[in-house]
């Protein structure tokens, strides 16, 4: 709520500082908090640049400016429980990235979408082309829930598993 109350230049500076903390290693070209975000949601619109992909043998690897999901750290607090795990509120993280490549650089292929649905946790990540831009969407939602102590080990396994691939790989245009 405090961010919503900031005005003018102070709001712009706060947006830039948040972006710099979230996207370490990238240059923040522009950062603004969206004015039309739904109540409770904080939307940050950012333009980032990073020069050059990292070479890995005959291929190049590009780092995505997304923080790690940390599902176990956030929702799995310990290996074993004697009491139920209660998660009282809704959390939603919704990332949408538009990636523009320098001339001549394009991914050879894109991984298919990945998803994980287990109890109150819903996770989806997908990449697709929109003209010359690559769009990356990652959505994670955790709804209020109670995981009984007897089911906590299964919950931890679900958090640790790799999300399953949905469609086959998509070639670059």
């Amino acid at each position: 709520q405090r961010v919503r109350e900031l005005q003018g230049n102070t709001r712009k500076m706060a947006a830039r500082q948040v972006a710099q903390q979230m996207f370490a290693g990238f240059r923040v070209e522009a950062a603004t908090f969206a004015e039309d975000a739904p109540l409770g949601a904080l939307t940050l619109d950012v333009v980032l640049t990073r020069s050059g992909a990292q070479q890995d043998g005959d291929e190049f690897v590009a780092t995505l400016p997304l923080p790690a999901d940390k599902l176990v750290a956030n929702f799995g607090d310990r290996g074993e429980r004697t009491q139920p795990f209660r998660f009282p509120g809704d959390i939603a993280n919704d990332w949408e990235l538009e990636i523009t490549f320098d001339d001549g650089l394009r991914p050879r292929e894109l991984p298919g979408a990945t998803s994980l649905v287990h109890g109150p946790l819903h996770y989806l990540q997908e990449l697709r082309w929109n003209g010359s831009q690559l769009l990356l969407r990652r959505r994670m939602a955790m709804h209020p829930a109670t995981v009984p102590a007897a089911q906590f080990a299964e919950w931890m396994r679900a958090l640790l598993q790799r999300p399953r691939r949905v469609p086959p790989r998509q070639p670059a245009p």
Side-chain angles (χ1 to χ4, degrees):
Q1 183 59 29
R2 291 181 62 200
V3 169
R4 293 182 200 294
E5 295 169 0
L6 295 175
Q7 299 295 317
N9 204 35
T10 305
R11 185 176 172 100
K12 289 177 186 176
M13 286 177 37
R16 182 170 285 278
Q17 288 172 349
V18 168
Q20 288 171 337
Q21 289 177 4
M22 290 178 72
F23 305 109
F26 288 82
R27 192 164 101 218
V28 177
E29 299 290 340
T32 57
F33 290 112
E35 298 291 334
D36 60 348
L39 189 60
L42 183 61
T43 300
L44 181 65
D45 292 324
V46 181
V47 176
L48 304 169
T49 58
R50 184 172 189 169
S51 60
Q54 307 287 326
Q55 190 159 1
D56 183 17
D58 293 339
E59 299 180 339
F60 291 90
V61 178
T63 304
L64 294 175
L66 287 176
D69 292 315
K70 298 182 183 177
L71 295 176
V72 171
N74 291 329
F75 306 120
D77 77 341
R78 61 188 74 143
E80 293 183 19
R81 293 190 67 91
T82 56
Q83 299 293 316
F85 173 69
R86 296 191 199 305
F87 187 75
D90 280 312
I91 287 183
N93 293 316
D94 195 359
W95 296 87
E96 292 188 12
L97 301 175
E98 297 174 351
I99 303 167
T100 305
F101 294 92
D102 290 339
D103 289 338
L105 289 178
R106 294 285 182 271
R108 184 174 33 203
E109 61 185 0
L110 301 179
T114 56
S115 72
L116 171 65
V117 177
H118 186 82
L121 176 68
H122 298 258
Y123 175 92
L124 172 68
Q125 180 171 293
E126 59 187 346
L127 287 157
R128 65 180 175 83
W129 287 102
N130 182 23
S132 63
Q133 286 190 319
L134 181 60
L135 300 181
L136 169 72
R137 177 175 290 151
R138 180 188 291 173
R139 293 195 165 135
M140 189 280 302
M142 178 75 172
H143 304 293
T146 298
V147 178
Q151 295 174 4
F152 193 74
E154 178 187 342
W155 170 249
M156 288 297 293
R157 281 191 295 278
L159 295 182
L160 290 168
Q161 79 180 7
R162 294 188 73 101
R164 66 179 178 82
R165 292 223 183 266
V166 181
R169 294 175 178 252
Q170 176 186 5

